[in-house]
Every structure is written in structure tokens, then in C-alpha cells.
Amino acid sequence: MIDLRSDTVTLPSKEMKQFLFDSPLGDDVYGEDPSVNLLEKKVSDLFGKEDALFVPSGTMANLISVLAHCNRGDEVILGDKSHIFLYEAGGISAFGGIHSYQLKNHDNGTINITDIQNSIRRDDSHYPISKLLCLENTHNGCYGSPVDTKYFTEIKNIINKHNIKLHIDGARIFNASIALNTPLHELTKEADSISCCLSKGLSCPVGSLIVGSKDFIQKAHRLRKSLGGGMRQAGLLAAAGIYALDNIYPKLNIDHENAKIMAEGLSSIKELSMDVSKVKTNLIFFYLENSNLSDEQFINKLLENNIKLDAKGNRKFRIATHINFKKNDIDFVVETIQSMVKQ
Ligand SMILES: *Cc1c(COP(=O)(O)O)cnc(C)c1O
């Protein structure tokens, strides 16, 4: 089966499993798991921040980060295609009473700087207080686009004047760093907090981290406990992250190259509509425009050919390349889609 639904379907390799099997463990709620402590140190160093916290998921990492920055009734500025706004069950509102101001996302993952400027609330009792800006990198809902440091610096100059903090949802920040050839600490130097996922392209079974200042992580630590995210011998999971940062992160360019080759192949199919120039990381988006096949028929026919894909609705589909997808299979996928849509 060729599973292209997401990079989250990646399985830990034999070497990764052996590595975590051999890793030292302790009770992380007591702060005594050496593997968790090592991973947190490694990640805070990589991102050039004071501290980091291991959490079960990217959703929890974002939720805790927003809760740590904001009080009830405060406002978060974010993109209308952002993961926090679309795909996290409204958690910041449900658990934090936090209001959101949604701005239009461009296809390259950014938001107009003037839109951000105009969304900042005046000090007036009619308004909520603008506390936090959340940006995403790479931007999943915007073609997996990587966003460069320059953009964050421009934004930071504006929001700083209003005492608004910057959180980066970096579920795929490792892909952004590789695609832009920019070290993580440079890419996130303007951020007050960052979340990142080990369970996407890095192929770990479970786990995300929150990165920020000592004070911020201390707050996040209490919030993690209150949300039920304190884990005991979590080193078994954290060790996978240690392995992945050393062995998988440097190889993400292979996923990006495979995506580019596959996108070029798909772009020659006239029943599909897509823009190859938008493919900059491991995500490919295309539209099934000139075919009689319904979205469901398309997915089902792919499945008959041992290819798994998700429909995103409105004729939109996403392919994610990843470490368990091999370059040899690109031709098979392109040819299968080509023959299907022509029927
Ligand atoms: C996957 C993802 C998350 C959430 O991660 P989970 O571990 O699935 O909760 C957050 N933001 C972005 C951009 C993502 O792609």
C-alpha cells in the first residue's frame, strides 16, 4: 500500500525502535526521565531558546502555548487557513475563552502586513485585548509553503510596539528549515514560542515540543499538567525524537525532491489543475477539474490500485511525500492517476 494521505502515517524504522528500546527512562512528572530531558535540551538549543517542553501532540502544543500567552477574553490574530483556527476543535475558545481575529492567508502562507496592523485593537473597553499573533511554518493549508525569516522580522517590528507576542505553529518547521536552507534558530529568532511535531515528516510515533523562554515554559508545564498531558516514562517516546533530529531531519530534502518530481509528472495530466511552482516542501495540492469522476470515486479507484489519498473537498486533494514513500513509486502513482482520470 502506498499511503500518501499525510506524513503522519510514517512508521518508526527498525533503527529508531532499537534506539528507543535502549534509551534510559525515568518518571518525567518528577522531571527524572533522562531521555525527555535530553530531547528538551536538544530542541531548545536547536531553536536558540532557553527551554522546551515535551507534549503528546501538536494540538496540545498549540493549545498550551496560546493559553500561556493569553487570558480569557483576550484576542489571538491568526490566518483563516491556519491549523489552530481550522483543525483544533476550537480548543483555544473551548478551554481558554480566547477570541480569534481571522485574517486572510495568502497562498505562500503569509498574511498581509497591513491586515495585521489594522487588526490590532485600540485600547477601548469595547474591544478585546490583542495579545498574540499565531503564524504557521510551513503552512499546511497554503501548499506547504515555507515562510522566510525576513517576513517574521517585519511582522515582529510592528507587533512589538503593541506588546503582542508571536507564536509559530511549526508542526513542519523542520521542512521549512530544510527548504529555505535556514537554521532553525535563525528561522524562529523572532518567535516568543514555537510548537513543533516529531510525528510528521520526522516519522516518530508520538510527540511534539513547545519551545520558548524559561518563564514561558514554566507556565506551559503547569498547563500541560492541568490538561492531563503529564506523562511518566515518556522517554520511550522522546528518544525517538532524539534519533529523528540526528538521522531524519537532515534527510527531509529527499521528501521535497520526490514531491517536486511527482508534481511535475502530475502537472502533465490535463484533467488535473495544479501549480508546480507552489510545491516547495513535501506537500502537493491539486484539483480534479476536468474529469467525470467524483471525489469519492477518485479516492476509491486509487485504493483499488493500492494508493491511499484523502479528498479535501471541492475537488481538492493533497499528497504528502515522506520517508516511507520511495522515489521508485513516483511513476506508478502518476501513471495510475493518469489512466484513471482518462476513463
Ligand atoms: C499536524 C499539525 C498540527 C497538530 O498536530 P497533532 O499532533 O496532529 O495534534 C498543528 N499544526 C499543523 C500545521 C499541523 O500540520
Side-chain angles (χ1 to χ4, degrees), residues 57-59 62 83 88 136 138 140 169 171-172 197 199-200 208:
S57 70
T59 300
N62 284 333
H83 199 279
E88 298 184 11
E136 203 173 303
T138 65
N140 174 37
D169 175 355
R172 294 189 182 82
C197 287
S199 59
K200 305 252 155 120
S208 286

Side-chain angles (χ1 to χ4, degrees), residues 118-325:
N118 294 338
S119 72
I120 299 170
R121 308 282 193 166
R122 273 188 289 120
D123 183 12
D124 178 318
S125 62
H126 290 84
Y127 299 138
I129 299 168
S130 309
K131 267 287 177 64
L132 178 67
L133 170 66
C134 293
L135 298 171
E136 203 173 303
N137 202 9
T138 65
H139 203 301
N140 174 37
C142 299
Y143 301 89
S145 299
V147 181
D148 65 17
T149 314
K150 195 168 143 275
Y151 176 75
F152 294 105
T153 303
E154 274 179 61
I155 298 283
K156 188 72 176 181
N157 287 337
I158 291 164
I159 63 174
N160 252 354
K161 292 184 203 128
H162 302 273
N163 210 15
I164 295 172
K165 303 286 192 221
L166 173 62
H167 171 72
I168 297 181
D169 175 355
R172 294 189 182 82
I173 192 94
F174 302 106
N175 295 83
S177 152
I178 293 288
L180 298 166
N181 195 18
T182 306
L184 289 160
H185 62 86
E186 173 67 19
L187 201 51
T188 58
K189 66 180 181 191
E190 309 293 0
D192 297 286
S193 60
I194 306 119
S195 58
C196 64
C197 287
L198 304 172
S199 59
K200 305 252 155 120
L202 295 189
S203 75
C204 299
V206 176
S208 286
L209 288 107
I210 305 169
V211 200
S213 69
K214 269 236 147 11
D215 285 349
F216 178 81
I217 293 298
Q218 202 173 355
K219 251 176 137 174
H221 202 278
R222 174 167 277 117
L223 285 162
R224 182 183 71 174
K225 190 70 193 159
S226 75
L227 291 171
M231 298 181 286
R232 302 295 178 174
Q233 282 74 34
L236 204 57
L237 302 171
I242 297 167
Y243 179 89
L245 290 170
D246 290 338
N247 298 283
I248 315 240
Y249 166 42
K251 293 191 202 146
L252 288 175
N253 63 309
I254 298 172
D255 299 343
H256 300 177
E257 285 158 21
N258 287 342
K260 195 86 196 175
I261 299 169
M262 175 129 65
E264 270 154 16
L266 293 172
S267 71
S268 68
I269 304 174
K270 67 174 193 318
E271 287 81 1
L272 308 184
S273 143
M274 63 175 302
D275 183 349
V276 181
S277 71
K278 289 202 167 92
V279 180
K280 298 214 165 72
T281 59
N282 67 323
L283 304 179
I284 306 169
F285 288 86
F286 66 86
Y287 294 84
L288 187 58
E289 292 214 318
N290 310 306
S291 168
N292 294 327
L293 290 176
S294 70
D295 290 9
E296 209 187 342
Q297 285 169 326
F298 182 63
I299 294 301
N300 289 339
K301 272 179 171 284
L302 278 171
L303 208 51
E304 286 166 21
N305 288 284
N306 296 321
I307 300 170
K308 277 192 185 173
L309 208 63
D310 267 344
K312 297 284 173 192
N314 298 320
R315 314 300 276 160
K316 189 177 183 180
F317 298 85
R318 187 187 75 174
I319 286 176
T321 56
H322 49 73
I323 195 166
N324 296 148
F325 174 75

